[in-house]
C-alpha cells in the first residue's frame, strides 16, 4: 500500500503560525493564499519532517516560539518539535523508528517535485536512468559509439568539402586524349626523320657535286671544241694532237654520259625520298606535351572524384550505422518498461514524452511525467508536493488531478491568490476562517 499523508499539523514553522488539515486521499489538495502568507512554508515543513536534514529550512522557527511539525503518513506519525526540532516516529502499534525507515518509503522526488521539473532536460533523463542501471549502461555504450561515429563522419564530411572544393577548382583536362602521347616515341621519330633528311641532304649535295663536275666537264668540252676549231686550222700540223684530243673527247663524252646517267638515277632516287616534315613532327612534340598535361589533369581530377565518392560512401555508411544505433536505442527504451508508455530519451540524453522535449510539453504532461518518474523512483510513496500551481491553467489542473486519482496518488500543491480551486486558503500563517 502506498504511503499517503492523512493529516498534518504545523505550528511556528517559518511563516506558519498554526495550520492543521487533512489532505484529499487521492487527487489534488491545493493550498491558496497571497504571497508571504505561508503556502510554501507548509510544503517546506512536510519535506523537512519526512526528508530529514537535506530539506531543513535555513530559518525553521518564527518569533512565536519553537516549531512543531506533525505529519501522519501511511501507518506512521512523524513529529519534529522543540528547539532542535527533534525527530520522533511511531507507528500505529506504538513502535518507534528513525529517518532511515522514512527514507525507505518516502521518495526524495516526492518532496521536491518542482525541483525535478525545473532541472534541465538531461538531468531529468539522468535521474530517470538511475532507476534503470542496465538500460543506462546500454544507452551510454550506444551514446559513446554514436559519438565516435559522428566524430568520424564529421571528419569525413570535412574532407569531402575540402576535396570537393579542390575538385571544383582544379583543371579537368577537357579535350585530352584517352592516354598520354609518348614523347620518347616522337623523339625517336624526329631522330629518324632527321637522319633520313640528313641522308637525303647528302644525296642532294652529291647530285650538286656531280652536276658541278658535269658543268666543269661541259665547260672543258666547250673549251676543247674551241681549241679544236683553232687546232683545225693547224690540223695538218697537229694531226697527232688532234687524234689525241679526239680520243680525249670520246672519253669525256663517255664519262659525261655516265655522270648524266648517275645524276638521272640519283634524281629518280631523290623523287622517292620526299623531305620529312620536321616542323610538323616538332609541332607534334609540342602539342603532345600540352595534351599530356591535359591527360594528367584529367587523371588527377578522376582520382580526386573517386576519393570524394569513397568518402561519401563512408559517410553514408556511418549515417546508416547511426540510424541502426537510433533503432537500437528506441528498442531498448521500448523494452525498458519506463514509467509512461510514450516516455523516452533522445540521442542527446534529453527526456522526451510523446516525442516532445520538456519545453514543448503541456503543463499537464510535465506534471504527469514528473509524477510518473517519482512513482517509479519510490513505488511505496503515494504523494507528491508541488509548489507554484498558479502557472497551470484550469484544464491542466483538472487533467493532473484526474491523473493522480487514476494512479491512486495524492498531490499537495500551492497556488497564489484566494483561488476558488484551493482546498484551503492561508492568511497570516493560518487557515482563513479557521483561526
Amino acid at each position: 500500500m502506498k504511503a499517503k499523508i492523512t493529516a498534518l499539523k504545523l505550528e511556528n514553522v517559518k511563516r506558519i503560525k498554526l495550520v492543521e488539515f487533512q489532505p484529499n486521499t487521492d487527487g489534488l489538495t491545493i493550498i491558496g493564499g497571497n504571497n508571504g502568507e505561508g503556502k510554501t512554508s507548509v510544503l517546506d515543513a512536510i519535506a523537512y519532517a519526512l526528508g530529514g536534514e537535506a530539506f531543513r529550512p535555513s530559518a525553521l522557527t518564527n518569533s512565536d516560539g519553537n516549531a512543531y511539525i506533525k505529519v501522519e503518513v501511511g501507518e506512521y506519525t512523524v513529529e519534529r518539535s522543540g528547539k532542535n526540532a527533534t525527530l520522533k516516529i511511531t507507528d500505529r502499534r506504538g513502535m518507534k523508528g528513525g529517518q532511515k525507515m522514512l527514507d525507505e518509503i518516502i521518495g526524495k522526488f516526492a518532496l521536491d517535485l518542482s525541483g525535478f521539473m525545473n532541472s534541465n532536460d538531461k538531468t531529468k533523463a539522468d535521474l530517470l536512468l538511475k532507476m534503470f542501471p542496465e538500460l543506462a549502461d546500454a544507452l551510454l555504450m550506444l551514446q559513446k559509439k554514436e559519438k565516435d561515429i559522428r566524430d568520424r563522419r564529421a571528419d569525413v564530411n570535412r574532407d569531402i568539402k575540402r576535396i570537393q572544393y579542390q575538385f571544383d577548382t582544379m583543371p579537368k583536362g577537357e579535350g585530352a586524349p584517352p592516354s598520354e602521347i609518348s614523347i620518347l616515341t616522337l623523339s625517336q621519330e624526329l631522330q629518324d626523320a632527321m637522319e633520313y633528311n640528313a641522308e637525303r641532304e647528302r644525296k642532294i649535295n652529291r647530285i650538286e657535286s656531280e652536276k658541278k663536275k658535269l658543268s666543269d666537264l661541259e665547260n672543258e668540252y666547250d673549251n676543247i671544241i674551241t681549241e679544236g676549231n683553232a687546232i683545225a686550222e693547224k690540223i695538218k700540223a697537229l694531226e697527232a694532237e688532234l687524234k689525241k684530243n679526239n680520243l680525249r673527247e670520246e672519253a669525256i663524252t663517255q664519262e659525261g654520259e655516265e655522270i648524266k646517267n648517275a645524276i638521272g638515277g640519283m634524281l629518280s632516287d631523290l623523287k622517292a625520298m620526299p623531305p620529312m616534315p620536321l616542323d610538323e613532327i616538332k609541332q607534334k612534340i609540342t602539342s603532345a606535351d600540352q595534351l599530356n598535361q591535359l591527360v594528367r589533369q584529367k587523371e588527377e581530377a578522376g582520382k580526386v572524384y573517386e576519393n570524394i565518392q569513397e568518402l561519401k560512401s563512408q559517410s553514408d555508411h556511418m549515417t546508416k550505422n547511426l540510424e541502426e544505433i537510433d533503432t537500437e536505442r528506441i528498442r531498448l527504451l521500448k523494452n525498458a518498461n519506463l514509467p509512461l508508455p510514450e516516455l523516452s530519451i533522445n540521442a542527446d540524453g534529453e527526456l522526451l514524452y510523446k516525442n516532445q522535449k520538456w519545453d514543448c510539453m503541456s503543463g499537464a504532461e510535465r506534471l504527469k511525467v514528473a509524477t510518473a518518474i517519482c512513482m517509479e523512483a519510490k513505488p511505496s510513496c503515494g504523494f507528491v508536493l508541488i509548489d507554484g500551481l498558479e502557472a497551470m491553467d484550469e484544464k491542466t489542473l483538472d487533467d493532473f488531478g484526474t491523473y493522480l486519482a487514476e494512479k491512486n496518488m495524492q498531490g499537495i500543491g500551492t497556488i497564489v491568490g484566494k483561488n476558488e480551486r484551493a482546498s484551503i486558503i492561508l492568511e497570516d500563517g493560518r487557515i482563513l476562517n479557521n483561526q
Side-chain angles (χ1 to χ4, degrees):
M1 178 175 288
K2 294 181 178 181
K4 299 181 181 181
I5 297 173
T6 55
L8 62 88
K9 181 178 180 179
L10 312 174
E11 292 185 68
N12 304 324
V13 180
K14 298 182 67 177
R15 294 182 182 273
I16 296 297
K17 295 179 178 178
L18 175 63
V19 170
E20 185 175 6
F21 68 96
Q22 295 179 334
N24 298 327
T25 304
D26 293 311
L28 271 174
T29 296
I30 300 177
I31 304 169
N34 295 328
N35 290 326
E37 303 293 351
K39 302 182 302 298
T40 302
S41 298
V42 173
L43 301 188
D44 289 347
I46 296 172
Y48 174 47
L50 303 181
E53 293 302 315
F55 293 88
R56 184 185 183 100
S58 57
L60 178 63
T61 61
N62 56 40
S63 59
D64 292 337
N66 291 332
Y68 175 74
I69 304 172
K70 179 181 179 181
V71 180
E72 294 184 11
V73 55
E75 61 179 277
Y76 300 100
T77 298
V78 180
E79 296 178 274
R80 288 187 178 272
S81 60
K83 184 177 180 181
N84 297 320
T86 303
L87 176 64
K88 177 184 177 183
I89 303 174
T90 55
D91 63 16
R92 293 172 183 172
R93 299 169 297 172
M95 303 294 291
K96 295 182 179 180
Q99 185 64 51
K100 184 177 180 181
M101 180 190 67
L102 282 179
D103 292 342
E104 290 176 355
I105 62 172
I106 305 300
K108 299 297 183 183
F109 288 165
L111 301 176
D112 187 20
L113 198 66
S114 298
F116 171 83
M117 295 176 66
N118 292 328
S119 62
N120 62 52
D121 290 2
K122 193 172 185 309
T123 299
K124 292 183 182 75
D126 290 342
L127 291 171
L128 173 61
L129 287 175
K130 284 182 180 180
M131 307 171 204
F132 300 88
E134 292 183 1
L135 174 62
D137 292 342
L139 291 178
L140 181 60
M141 289 181 64
L142 286 179
Q143 187 179 29
K144 290 179 179 178
K145 185 177 179 181
E146 182 179 42
K147 183 180 183 305
D148 177 64
I149 293 174
R150 287 187 184 278
D151 289 345
R152 287 189 288 114
R153 186 179 66 170
D155 291 340
V156 169
N157 287 339
R158 278 194 295 270
D159 288 341
I160 290 174
K161 288 183 181 178
R162 175 178 57 80
I163 298 174
Q164 185 69 53
Y165 175 78
Q166 176 190 352
F167 177 77
D168 292 341
T169 56
M170 73 187 304
K172 307 298 189 303
E174 285 85 356
S179 60
E180 286 199 35
I181 299 169
S182 174
I183 301 296
L184 180 62
T185 300
L186 289 175
S187 297
Q188 185 61 49
E189 183 181 345
L190 177 63
Q191 181 65 30
D192 293 344
M194 290 175 67
E195 291 178 358
Y196 173 91
N197 284 352
E199 177 62 23
R200 184 176 180 279
E201 188 66 27
R202 283 193 295 271
K203 288 188 177 186
I204 291 173
N205 291 337
R206 185 177 173 187
I207 289 172
E208 294 299 322
S209 177
E210 294 300 320
K211 282 182 177 181
K212 186 176 185 305
K213 285 182 181 180
L214 178 60
S215 177
D216 291 344
L217 286 174
E218 287 175 344
N219 290 334
E220 185 181 353
Y221 178 81
D222 291 340
N223 291 335
I224 290 173
I225 294 299
T226 301
E227 289 177 1
N229 291 333
I231 293 171
E233 297 178 359
K234 301 176 182 180
I235 193 168
K236 292 180 180 180
L238 297 173
E239 286 182 355
E241 185 69 26
L242 180 59
K243 185 178 182 179
K244 180 179 178 182
N245 284 344
N246 288 337
L247 291 174
R248 176 60 181 158
E249 180 183 348
E250 292 176 1
I252 289 172
T253 299
Q254 183 178 353
E255 186 178 355
E257 289 299 324
E258 290 176 356
I259 290 173
K260 286 180 178 179
N261 291 335
I263 290 172
M266 286 185 285
L267 286 171
S268 179
D269 290 344
L270 188 61
K271 287 181 180 179
M273 289 181 66
M276 296 295 287
L278 298 182
D279 290 340
E280 182 180 340
I281 295 173
K282 290 178 181 178
Q283 182 60 38
K284 282 184 180 180
I285 291 175
T286 301
S287 298
D289 186 57
Q290 295 172 349
L291 289 172
N292 289 343
Q293 180 67 23
L294 292 177
V295 171
R296 287 190 287 273
Q297 290 175 357
K298 185 177 181 181
E299 290 176 348
E300 184 63 26
K303 291 176 182 177
V304 172
Y305 180 79
E306 290 176 0
N307 192 10
I308 291 172
Q309 299 311 306
E310 173 62 24
L311 290 172
K312 285 184 177 179
S313 177
Q314 293 178 22
S315 179
D316 291 342
H317 180 69
M318 285 185 276
T319 297
K320 184 178 180 181
N321 288 342
L322 290 174
E323 291 172 353
E324 291 171 352
I325 288 174
D326 197 50
T327 299
E328 175 63 11
R329 179 187 299 106
I330 293 171
R331 187 192 68 80
L332 286 171
L333 290 166
K334 184 176 181 180
N335 295 335
N337 195 24
L338 296 178
L340 289 172
E342 295 182 83
L343 196 62
S344 185
I345 297 170
N346 67 12
D348 296 324
E350 298 171 322
L351 195 68
L352 300 179
Y353 181 59
K354 294 183 178 179
N355 208 33
Q356 298 291 326
K357 289 187 179 182
W358 187 263
D359 60 349
C360 295
M361 298 179 198
S362 68
E365 287 174 334
R366 295 179 187 179
L367 287 168
K368 184 184 295 185
V369 168
T371 303
I373 293 174
C374 173
M375 290 163 58
E376 181 70 29
K378 190 70 73 171
S380 59
C381 185
F383 69 90
V384 289
L385 306 181
I386 318 105
D387 197 17
L389 290 177
E390 65 275 358
M392 311 299 168
D393 58 32
E394 291 191 8
K395 185 177 186 306
T396 296
L397 291 176
D398 288 338
D399 290 345
F400 183 51
T402 300
Y403 174 75
L404 288 173
E406 290 173 351
K407 296 297 180 180
N408 190 26
M409 285 289 290
Q410 175 188 61
I412 301 175
T414 65
I415 193 167
V416 173
K418 297 178 180 180
N419 194 298
E420 62 182 15
R421 300 184 64 91
S423 306
I424 62 170
I425 303 289
L426 297 188
E427 186 176 283
D428 193 26
R430 302 176 183 273
I431 297 176
L432 190 63
N433 301 325
N434 189 30
Q435 299 183 6

